[in-house]
Amino acid sequence: MPSPSAPDFSPEFTSELAELLAWRRDVRHFRKEPIGEDRVAELLAVAQLAPSVGNSQPWRFVRVRSAALRETLAGHADTEKAAAAAAMPDAERRSKYAALKLHGIREAPEVIAVFCDDATTTGFGLGAATMPETRAYSVVLAIHTLWLAARARGLGLGWVSIVEPGFVTDLLDVPASWRFIALLCLGHPLEPDVIPELERRGWQPRLDGSSNVSER
Ligand SMILES: Cc1cc2nc3c(=O)[nH]c(=O)nc-3n(C[C@H](O)[C@H](O)[C@H](O)COP(=O)(O)O)c2cc1C
């Protein structure tokens, strides 16, 4: 079948895309209203348009539908957060950290654990022989695609990493070759904002990115 001709993206689209990138936020505060099964399916399909090493498509999405599993994950994240706070030597930082909300696992209408199948034979190992970690990078790209696609539809996504990978892997009973990458919360954001929440709460502002670019 012939490919459709490539679209010519307009300057208006480019400027809207820039706005989308600026307004993509990590979201921890959600409204409770559900997303809708069609939308979830659509988003998970769009996420899989991401590039992957050798076209291996190693992403594996596990939708957490059980209320008991969700509560266990939320409790675990709370415990890990408290442990991280206790380990902070600076008292001021510690109390600032304790006041941050770092997950919306209890409220988000959709919680998704994302894994990388390190044993996939899809793609016949191309590229992964020298850099096996590129499979995990591919999964991260799928997550970012999901992040943007969600925001373009008025939804917000929060990445939760304050969990022990082994704990999540055991709890969700996934195959041994699946490496835990992320726990995602998805839903309607309570209050969209163009400024990252950690900047608004005085934890860490965005830096001037020019200092991250060098030349050789
Ligand atoms: C790999 C990764 C892990 C993250 N883990 C957490 C987390 O556990 N809890 C949290 O509140 N935010 C987490 N975040 C979100 C970051 O705090 C957020 O991206 C950063 O503050 C910039 O804000 P923005 O995404 O709204 O631009 C994570 C982001 C990434 C990319």
Side-chain angles (χ1 to χ4, degrees):
M1 203 169 78
S3 288
S5 52
D8 231 345
F9 295 110
S10 67
E12 290 74 26
F13 173 80
T14 308
S15 121
E16 285 201 338
L17 179 60
E19 261 193 298
L20 172 65
L21 295 169
W23 279 87
R24 177 215 50 78
R25 276 291 64 73
D26 186 89
V27 174
R28 302 123 174 124
H29 307 266
F30 296 94
R31 305 206 308 260
K32 278 219 159 162
E33 75 190 75
I35 302 174
E37 280 300 309
D38 289 357
R39 184 120 288 190
V40 174
E42 181 200 5
L43 284 171
L44 290 177
V46 171
Q48 296 180 63
L49 295 174
S52 61
V53 62
N55 216 7
S56 57
Q57 301 149 74
W59 36 72
R60 304 290 180 261
F61 299 96
V62 178
R63 294 179 65 189
V64 179
R65 312 303 297 276
S66 142
L69 286 176
R70 181 195 279 254
E71 183 47 42
T72 303
L73 287 168
H76 173 68
D78 290 343
T79 304
E80 291 300 322
K81 184 190 170 202
M88 283 180 188
D90 176 342
E92 200 186 324
R93 260 294 139 185
R94 188 162 60 239
S95 74
K96 228 181 213 181
Y97 178 84
L100 293 173
K101 180 170 169 64
L102 295 181
H103 73 82
I105 300 171
R106 290 191 178 85
E107 317 83 80
E110 187 74 27
V111 173
I112 304 170
V114 190
F115 296 85
C116 173
D117 184 355
D118 282 324
T120 186
T121 53
T122 308
F124 304 97
L126 191 154
T130 44
M131 291 186 68
E133 66 273 28
T134 51
R135 287 198 194 95
Y137 300 163
S138 307
V139 177
V140 172
L141 287 164
I143 294 170
H144 192 234
T145 305
L146 175 63
W147 215 328
L148 293 174
R151 187 64 194 90
R153 290 158 178 78
L155 297 170
L157 183 137
W159 183 322
V160 184
S161 58
I162 48 167
V163 288
E164 271 297 324
F167 181 89
V168 182
T169 304
D170 289 349
L171 182 72
L172 300 182
D173 193 23
V174 298
S177 66
W178 290 18
R179 184 182 355 168
F180 174 73
I181 303 293
L183 190 62
L184 305 178
C185 298
L186 182 65
H188 295 88
L190 205 54
E191 33 185 45
D193 204 299
V194 75
I195 307 200
E197 180 160 339
L198 291 191
E199 180 161 346
R200 280 182 280 135
R201 309 250 175 247
W203 180 264
Q204 172 65 62
R206 273 193 181 283
L207 304 174
D208 168 17
S210 62
S211 60
N212 296 326
V213 181
S214 59
E215 295 186 7
R216 298 285 184 278

